[in-house]
Amino acid sequence: MFYSDKPIQLSQEDQLGRNSFAKLLAQSLLHLNILDTFTIGLFGKWGSGKTSIVNLTLREIEEQQKDLCTENKLIIVHFEPWNFSEENQLLNQFFIRMSNEFRNKGDKNLESIGNALEQYSDAFGLLGSLSPALGLLGFLGKRGTVALGKRLKNGAGEKDILKQKEFIIKLLEKQSSRILVVIDDIDRLSNAQIRQVFQLITSVAKFPNTMYLLVFDKDIVVKALENVQEGSGEDYLEKIIQMPIQIPEIQHTKIRQVLLQRLNEILAEHTDVNFHETHWQQLYEPCIASLINNLRDINRLCNAVQFKLASIASEVDFTDLVAISALEIHFPKIYEWVKNNKPILTGELYPGYLMDQNKNQKELYADYSSRFKILLEGNHANPIVDEQVEIVIEFLSLLFPHFGRKIGKTYEIFGLDLLRRNNQIAHAEKFFRYFSLDLDGVVFKKSQILNAIYTNTGPELEQLLLDQEKNGSSYEFLEEIRAMASEIPSDRVKLIIEVLLKTSSELNTRSTHNMLLPASYLAERMVIELLDTVAHAERFPLVSNFITNSDVDTIQSAADIVNQLELAYGRLAAKGERREIKRVITLDELIRLESVFTKKVKQLLNEHNLFDFNRWRIVYYLLESFDTDYAKSYMKIVLKDDSNIAKYLVSSVSAWISGRVEYEVENTYQEYLTKERILQAIDSLKKSGLLFILSEEIQHKCGAFFLYAIKENHYDDHIPQSDVDELLASWRG
């Protein structure tokens, strides 16, 4: 549903309590007994509902006069001058409108007045200009003057026009019916046309028994009337308006009632949009309601929100969308600044980040205030602009908590998971959807996340995760699920844990904001977090069964889970210092789990080579920790094979990327191998050609070790990849 700015016609449509004022105005007009021309000014700002009040007033007059005979009724002529673009059109159409109104009443006396008005209009003909005798010199400028000359040559002089006017005056003086001429939307006219309207009613159409109800924004009209005569536009207006009436301000409570009613209607239409009562209460008053002053503001905001929700309802937060739409309507330049400054608002790195880091909150507050003041066209002292800057600062601080904390405006504690779960604009990954309004730019829809949490079967969820891996978005997809972890039903938690355990070894996509972390890391971390929501008695069996059923591809995920549980108790690498990981099983259960893991690894090593495991180092690290003698014995045996030595070497040669790739050799290989034995294995693999069927990583690290070993004093710790590439090329011949 979209909302029109069309003025209301009936009292039943009045939502802002304007009907009582309209009734009062109608009573005043009906009982205003005047013999001469009388002018009433109805003043109100744009959007204050002036035309609606006029419609209600005329409807009330009509209702009160319905039982009166024609001769006792107030004759109403409603003239809208902004329909006519040229000055001569405005003048001629005014009299035509009056003439038609009189002739359509079915009364001979009124009909004769209508005919006289038509002749009066015709007396001006196509002049579009009035003579000096009528007080409107230069109504149409040069073109009107030429037309006037032609008219005078044809005998239609000023005396004819004055005579016709006198005839109309006499007819109106004898007529018992009074006339109400309503001229609305005067403030829509050009300055020249505004002046013409006032000249019209003070001269050409100055008739007895006639009231003029002039409806306009006073400030606009006063400005247009400047320099019409000596004195100010205000003074000139005071001479014309005999009864000034200011439309009373609509109570904010009524405006807000309408706003909330409309927004509730929109919310009811879009049941898939995120809405959170707490977030709404936080932003409604300072970011939304404070910018709404009249019904036109409400219509514009609601129409904008309705339009945007039509394309992207399920992927945004309702409160944030309403707030950013209000900003777009009332402060468009600030809105553009927001759209172009995502990192500043959401906490990402941006040009100038380090400079801002060196400033305190007070300095940053002053900096951004100055920027906003310039955008609001406040390059000089201006109380209104200064007030607007404060509104904008408050607005952005609440909408973007990171920005609010940055400038010391708010100290709200917020979590990225909450922002992500609610699809709020303050989350960096959700920001642009509020501006692009394009679902194609949303990698995965909210419906996919909800299906994953509530309805997908195990195989469906596995496939969904693997599909996201192919798309390069598995990390972000897992983050979405993790953000909604508190909403996962208890009967679904175990299924999701099992899927994460099964698929984690295949999830290698890196995080877009931390390229060091693969999706598998997040999946395994989520397993621990989700285990904490499972009944305690079910936790150990769940993990134990996974380890028991692991294969060569999934055992490393099992190893990572076990390692996290060890760190939670301060064991192994934690060296007695407990890490920030939940203790989801007891220490006794953990010790039992170590036995389960060790047994499973030994079983797999009877069937596979350790180096067939994708992440063999974590598997071997735990095996060595739990059964040192077995692990060392196994490694000594397996390293008798030259290919296994090359594979093992990967753990002792690190690759560094800083502009270029460089390699560094660590001495960890010395636990099982000597430098000479490794060189011997490399030489053997090179001669047999087996080296070149191994992975590129292994080839490069073997080459780096070779250069390190034979040119130990040639390199300063790091071996450039260019040297390694050159060496490998020479080996290939």
Side-chain angles (χ1 to χ4, degrees):
M1 177 191 301
F2 288 94
Y3 302 92
S4 171
D5 261 348
K6 183 180 179 181
I8 64 172
Q9 301 289 334
L10 304 173
S11 58
Q12 299 94 302
E13 301 171 329
D14 179 31
Q15 296 178 296
L16 300 177
R18 294 168 294 189
N19 197 46
S20 58
F21 177 79
K23 285 184 176 181
L24 178 62
L25 180 57
Q27 290 287 348
S28 300
L29 294 173
L30 284 168
H31 296 94
L32 189 62
N33 293 317
I34 49 94
L35 297 177
D36 201 357
T37 306
F38 194 85
T39 308
I40 305 110
L42 183 62
F43 308 148
K45 295 290 185 184
W46 278 17
S48 61
K50 298 186 295 295
T51 302
S52 293
I53 289 174
V54 168
N55 291 341
L56 293 174
T57 300
L58 297 182
R59 180 74 65 169
E60 180 66 22
I61 291 173
E62 180 183 329
E63 181 66 24
Q64 293 197 29
Q65 293 191 135
K66 65 182 180 181
D67 296 327
L68 298 178
C69 60
T70 302
E71 62 184 20
N72 293 325
K73 284 185 178 181
L74 187 66
I75 298 172
I76 300 172
V77 180
H78 200 168
F79 181 61
E80 297 176 332
W82 56 273
N83 283 327
F84 311 104
S85 59
E86 296 184 9
E87 293 166 351
N88 63 325
Q89 286 184 328
L90 188 152
L91 177 67
N92 292 336
Q93 292 298 322
F94 174 78
F95 287 114
I96 291 172
R97 179 75 185 86
M98 287 194 72
S99 173
N100 290 338
E101 193 65 44
F102 277 85
R103 288 191 297 190
N104 291 333
K105 296 298 180 183
D107 183 283
K108 289 185 177 181
N109 292 330
L110 294 179
E111 186 176 348
S112 64
I113 295 174
N115 292 333
L117 285 167
E118 184 179 25
Q119 292 173 21
Y120 185 46
S121 173
D122 188 56
F124 296 107
L126 298 176
L127 290 178
S129 174
L130 299 179
S131 69
L134 294 175
L136 289 174
L137 180 64
F139 224 58
L140 267 192
K142 183 177 180 181
R143 186 175 63 177
T145 303
V146 173
L148 176 62
K150 291 180 180 179
R151 190 71 178 175
L152 290 175
K153 287 181 180 180
N154 293 329
E158 297 168 6
K159 292 182 180 179
D160 296 323
I161 298 174
L162 290 172
K163 185 177 179 179
Q164 187 65 36
K165 181 179 180 183
E166 289 172 1
F167 178 64
I168 293 171
I169 290 173
K170 289 180 181 179
L171 289 175
L172 289 172
E173 286 175 340
K174 295 177 182 179
Q175 174 62 37
S176 59
S177 297
R178 291 172 300 123
I179 305 163
L180 172 63
V181 180
V182 180
I183 305 181
D184 195 1
D185 289 326
I186 296 173
D187 44 26
R188 291 194 188 186
L189 302 174
S190 66
N191 287 351
Q193 288 175 313
I194 290 174
R195 290 192 288 268
Q196 189 182 26
V197 168
F198 282 92
Q199 290 170 331
L200 175 69
I201 64 176
T202 56
S203 181
V204 185
K206 187 176 182 180
F207 298 133
N209 283 326
T210 303
M211 297 179 290
Y212 286 97
L213 177 61
L214 307 181
V215 187
F216 53 85
D217 184 324
K218 184 179 178 182
D219 292 341
I220 294 174
V221 169
V222 165
K223 187 175 181 181
L225 294 177
E226 293 289 343
N227 303 320
V228 172
Q229 294 180 346
E230 290 188 9
S232 67
E234 183 82 43
D235 294 338
Y236 182 73
L237 192 62
E238 286 181 2
K239 294 176 184 177
I240 299 172
I241 302 296
Q242 292 153 289
M243 181 188 286
I245 301 174
Q246 179 68 49
I247 294 175
E249 287 189 15
I250 301 170
Q251 295 180 0
H252 277 294
T253 53
K254 291 187 179 296
I255 289 288
R256 293 180 182 186
Q257 284 173 2
V258 175
L259 173 63
L260 290 174
Q261 177 187 335
R262 298 255 177 105
L263 290 175
N264 278 328
E265 290 172 358
I266 293 172
L267 196 56
E269 286 184 47
H270 300 278
T271 55
D272 54 344
V273 69
N274 282 312
F275 178 78
H276 301 277
E277 184 69 30
T278 302
H279 191 48
W280 172 261
Q281 290 175 356
Q282 182 186 38
L283 265 64
Y284 170 68
E285 187 67 35
C287 298
I288 300 170
S290 65
L291 299 182
I292 304 300
N293 299 305
N294 51 55
L295 194 57
R296 182 167 295 163
D297 286 344
I298 294 174
N299 290 339
R300 293 171 70 198
L301 175 62
C302 290
N303 287 339
V305 170
Q306 186 76 295
F307 172 76
K308 294 173 181 179
L309 285 175
S311 63
I312 199 166
S314 64
E315 309 306 321
V316 294
D317 177 81
F318 183 78
T319 302
D320 284 1
L321 186 69
V322 174
I324 200 66
S325 298
L327 187 72
E328 179 182 15
I329 291 168
H330 294 278
F331 298 115
K333 291 185 178 179
I334 301 296
Y335 173 83
E336 288 298 319
W337 182 89
V338 168
K339 185 164 64 173
N340 296 322
N341 287 276
K342 170 194 167 191
I344 292 174
L345 297 166
T346 61
E348 298 176 298
L349 293 176
Y350 56 90
Y353 175 84
L354 294 178
M355 292 179 62
D356 279 0
Q357 287 292 95
N358 293 327
K359 296 178 181 178
N360 59 39
Q361 292 176 330
K362 187 175 181 180
E363 290 171 326
L364 288 172
Y365 184 96
D367 284 351
Y368 286 106
S369 295
S370 297
R371 296 187 201 184
F372 298 150
K373 187 171 184 179
I374 292 172
L375 289 172
L376 294 167
E377 300 178 342
N379 294 307
H380 53 277
N382 185 330
I384 295 178
V385 172
D386 290 341
E387 182 180 338
Q388 289 177 336
V389 169
E390 290 300 316
I391 292 172
V392 168
I393 287 283
E394 178 76 9
F395 189 109
L396 296 182
S397 295
L398 290 172
L399 193 59
F400 298 98
H402 173 84
F403 179 75
R405 292 175 63 184
K406 178 188 181 78
I407 63 173
K409 186 66 179 175
T410 177
Y411 293 93
E412 178 194 1
I413 297 175
F414 65 96
L416 288 177
D417 280 349
L418 177 64
L419 300 180
R420 179 187 289 278
R421 180 168 68 248
N422 295 345
N423 281 335
Q424 288 177 223
I425 193 174
H427 194 286
E429 293 176 24
K430 313 293 183 177
F431 181 89
F432 281 123
R433 61 183 59 177
Y434 284 83
F435 302 97
S436 66
L437 305 180
D438 181 9
L439 277 179
D440 290 338
V442 178
V443 179
F444 27 77
K445 313 297 188 293
K446 180 182 176 182
S447 59
Q448 290 178 293
I449 306 301
L450 295 178
N451 285 339
I453 291 174
Y454 296 110
T455 61
N456 285 150
T457 63
E460 287 173 342
L461 183 52
E462 286 179 39
Q463 189 58 52
L464 180 59
L465 273 173
L466 295 177
D467 287 344
Q468 296 300 334
E469 174 66 20
K470 291 177 184 177
N471 296 335
S473 55
S474 59
Y475 196 102
E476 285 72 22
F477 190 77
L478 289 175
E479 284 187 311
E480 294 288 341
I481 295 177
R482 184 187 184 200
M484 296 186 69
S486 60
E487 300 179 27
I488 300 176
S490 57
D491 61 331
R492 295 279 298 175
V493 173
K494 288 175 63 177
L495 180 144
I496 292 174
I497 290 174
E498 290 170 354
V499 169
L500 290 175
L501 288 169
K502 288 181 181 179
T503 58
S504 64
S505 61
E506 299 180 63
L507 305 178
N508 298 309
T509 299
R510 303 281 168 169
S511 164
T512 55
H513 48 267
N514 187 342
M515 294 304 293
L516 295 177
L517 299 178
S520 57
Y521 167 84
L522 180 57
E524 290 152 6
R525 185 175 177 184
M526 287 172 63
V527 167
I528 300 296
E529 294 170 354
L530 291 174
L531 277 171
D532 194 46
T533 67
V534 175
H536 199 284
E538 297 179 327
R539 298 177 189 178
F540 175 80
L542 200 155
V543 180
S544 178
N545 288 338
F546 172 66
I547 295 173
T548 301
N549 295 315
S550 292
D551 56 23
V552 70
D553 293 319
T554 57
I555 190 62
Q556 54 262 29
S557 295
D560 283 326
I561 297 296
V562 172
N563 188 50
Q564 288 191 61
L565 296 173
E566 296 283 352
L567 297 176
Y569 278 96
R571 292 157 66 86
L572 301 185
K575 297 180 179 178
E577 185 176 334
R578 180 185 170 186
R579 302 291 174 84
E580 292 297 322
I581 302 172
K582 292 183 179 294
R583 294 180 175 180
V584 295
I585 60 175
T586 66
L587 182 57
D588 287 341
E589 289 172 330
L590 176 58
I591 294 172
R592 288 165 55 198
L593 206 60
E594 293 173 358
S595 298
V596 174
F597 178 82
T598 303
K599 180 180 178 181
K600 183 61 182 182
V601 172
K602 289 179 179 180
Q603 177 187 334
L604 290 173
L605 289 179
N606 287 332
E607 304 167 7
H608 303 277
N609 186 330
L610 173 68
F611 301 108
D612 291 338
F613 302 165
N614 288 333
R615 299 199 304 272
W616 63 265
R617 279 167 285 189
I618 182 65
V619 176
Y620 182 75
Y621 166 73
L622 292 183
L623 179 64
E624 187 179 35
S625 300
F626 302 151
D627 192 336
T628 305
D629 292 341
Y630 175 87
K632 289 182 177 296
S633 174
Y634 174 85
M635 187 61 78
K636 288 177 181 178
I637 294 171
V638 79
L639 288 181
K640 292 180 180 180
D641 181 271
D642 292 340
S643 293
N644 287 338
I645 290 176
K647 294 173 183 177
Y648 175 79
L649 192 59
V650 170
S651 64
S652 296
V653 181
S654 302
W656 299 93
I657 303 174
S658 57
R660 64 174 185 172
V661 178
E662 296 180 330
Y663 296 96
E664 180 181 9
V665 177
E666 301 167 3
N667 61 8
T668 52
Y669 67 90
Q670 294 176 358
E671 182 177 2
Y672 295 104
L673 298 166
T674 64
K675 185 189 304 181
E676 292 73 22
R677 176 67 184 99
I678 295 174
L679 289 175
Q680 180 187 5
I682 292 174
D683 185 61
S684 174
L685 292 171
K686 179 185 65 171
K687 290 177 179 178
S688 66
L690 294 177
L691 177 64
F692 304 110
I693 65 174
L694 298 175
S695 70
E696 287 192 7
E697 179 188 16
I698 294 174
Q699 293 180 47
H700 278 87
K701 290 191 174 182
C702 284
F705 186 89
F706 181 86
L707 291 174
Y708 158 80
I710 66 171
K711 298 182 179 180
E712 188 170 355
N713 298 323
H714 180 74
Y715 296 103
D716 184 17
D717 295 331
H718 293 84
I719 301 101
Q721 180 167 320
S722 56
D723 288 8
V724 175
D725 289 338
E726 185 178 342
L727 174 66
L728 292 176
S730 68
W731 284 354
R732 292 189 186 96

